[in-house]
Amino acid sequence: MKRPFARWSPDREIRNWALGLVGERTTGRRLNTLRRQGWRVLHSVQWPSGSDIDHLVIGPSGVFTINSKCHRGKTVWYGDHAITVNRAPTKYIVVSEHEARRTSRALSDHCGFLVPVRPVIAIVGAARVSVKNAAPPVLVIDGATVHTVLSGLAPVLPPERVERIFSVARRGETWAGL
């Protein structure tokens, strides 16, 4: 007998959640190394809806929301406005752009000045990552090198601005209103 909901099972959900956690922890360890260079890093910033920002990174090169995606052994392709995993389309771009806009609004409202936020997707464990766009709206990076890529970007924020944004980002009320 064929099960009508064969694609969903508690075991599959637990496995997907565990893989996601592996990706987030791997990316988080890399990002934490940026602290020695004056960067500020927050993990699992909670929204009132129950969703979260995997990683919020604030440093000389700007402010970044980072979504970690663990795709062990899979092929990831990034074109103009889409990411596929083993040729299956994802919603990663739309979700990441929305998260960055929402984060920018929250930080800007509480800082009293515009805080641009750039979305990043950190791909962990993929067999191959192909990027076919010279100036992608979302930065797609191998999770193993995310810290190197971010620290290599041109500086745009002075240390006092980094600290001001970080102090606002650490407050729960910053995230409560959106």
Side-chain angles (χ1 to χ4, degrees):
M1 179 171 126
K2 197 170 191 178
R3 291 176 43 196
F5 299 104
R7 292 185 60 133
W8 182 88
S9 74
D11 291 342
R12 182 184 182 108
E13 292 298 310
I14 290 169
R15 188 173 42 254
N16 288 342
W17 179 84
L19 274 175
L21 183 59
V22 166
E24 287 183 35
R25 292 185 73 192
T26 300
T27 301
R29 280 192 299 273
R30 300 287 192 218
L31 294 171
N32 284 341
T33 66
L34 291 170
R35 290 179 170 145
R36 293 185 296 253
Q37 300 168 29
W39 288 72
R40 301 293 179 240
V41 181
L42 295 171
H43 306 286
S44 193
V45 177
Q46 296 296 306
W47 292 106
S49 65
S51 64
D52 72 336
I53 302 167
D54 290 349
H55 314 280
L56 178 63
V57 183
I58 306 159
S61 301
V63 180
F64 303 86
T65 52
I66 301 173
N67 281 299
S68 297
K69 301 296 178 189
C70 188
H71 292 295
R72 283 197 185 135
K74 296 182 179 177
T75 300
V76 177
W77 178 87
Y78 178 28
D80 288 332
H81 300 288
I83 291 179
T84 62
V85 177
N86 283 352
R87 296 185 180 218
T90 70
K91 294 185 179 189
Y92 296 166
I93 302 298
V94 171
V95 170
S96 293
E97 288 178 321
H98 171 74
E99 182 175 81
R101 282 191 306 273
R102 188 176 182 196
T103 301
S104 176
R105 276 195 315 273
L107 291 173
S108 298
D109 288 350
H110 289 270
C111 285
F113 54 84
L114 179 63
V115 179
V117 177
R118 185 159 185 200
V120 175
I121 298 172
I123 306 292
V124 176
R128 184 170 162 209
V129 176
S130 299
V131 178
K132 302 292 184 187
N133 189 331
V138 175
L139 191 56
V140 176
I141 305 173
D142 182 334
T145 63
V146 65
H147 59 301
T148 305
V149 173
L150 293 182
S151 65
L153 296 173
V156 296
L157 294 176
E160 59 276 2
R161 185 63 50 118
V162 169
E163 292 306 318
R164 172 69 180 134
I165 297 168
F166 179 61
S167 72
V168 167
R170 292 181 61 199
R171 297 192 318 239
E173 62 267 17
T174 299
W175 311 106
L178 293 175

